[in-house]
Amino acid sequence: MRDWLYTLKTTDTTTDGQLSTPANMLKRAETAPRGIWWLAAKRHMVPGDRIWFYFTAPYAVIAATAEVEDEPYEAQGDADYPWRFPAVLDLAATRALNGNPVPLAALSNQHPQGVVGVRAADLKTLLRHAGM
């Protein structure tokens, strides 16, 4: 199992037509936790991997997590985000992270971009905040 940091640009990234904010992601975890997520480049994700959602400014926090259901697959016709993968938001952990988000300043990776692996030094912090 691998852990991934998934960057959401909160000023223009939408989730089900709403801006991707920590509160909106929690609402989604409560009402429609399964989703298809986009990737600009293929990542070697497998079922059971965890996604940690980093919400950019004005939040600059990790405040949601999900479990990958299947490997990324190619989506035709999208030059910017040609890869997709299904994942399910973890309601309990997302609730915990909304109540106690991980500030970017608490991570060793101070400049996450796109989708990157979580550094081993950061995983304990993420798990503790998520109640895992």
Side-chain angles (χ1 to χ4, degrees), residues 69-120:
E69 285 192 308
D70 205 354
E71 295 178 17
Y73 59 89
E74 199 163 5
Q76 301 299 317
D78 188 342
D80 293 328
Y81 297 97
W83 295 93
R84 307 281 192 274
F85 69 96
V88 178
L89 289 162
D90 181 323
L91 179 56
T94 297
R95 269 192 188 131
L97 285 164
N98 257 250
N100 188 21
V102 179
L104 183 60
L107 300 181
S108 63
N109 183 356
Q110 293 289 300
H111 305 286
Q113 295 182 14
V115 179
V116 297
V118 170
R119 294 179 181 173

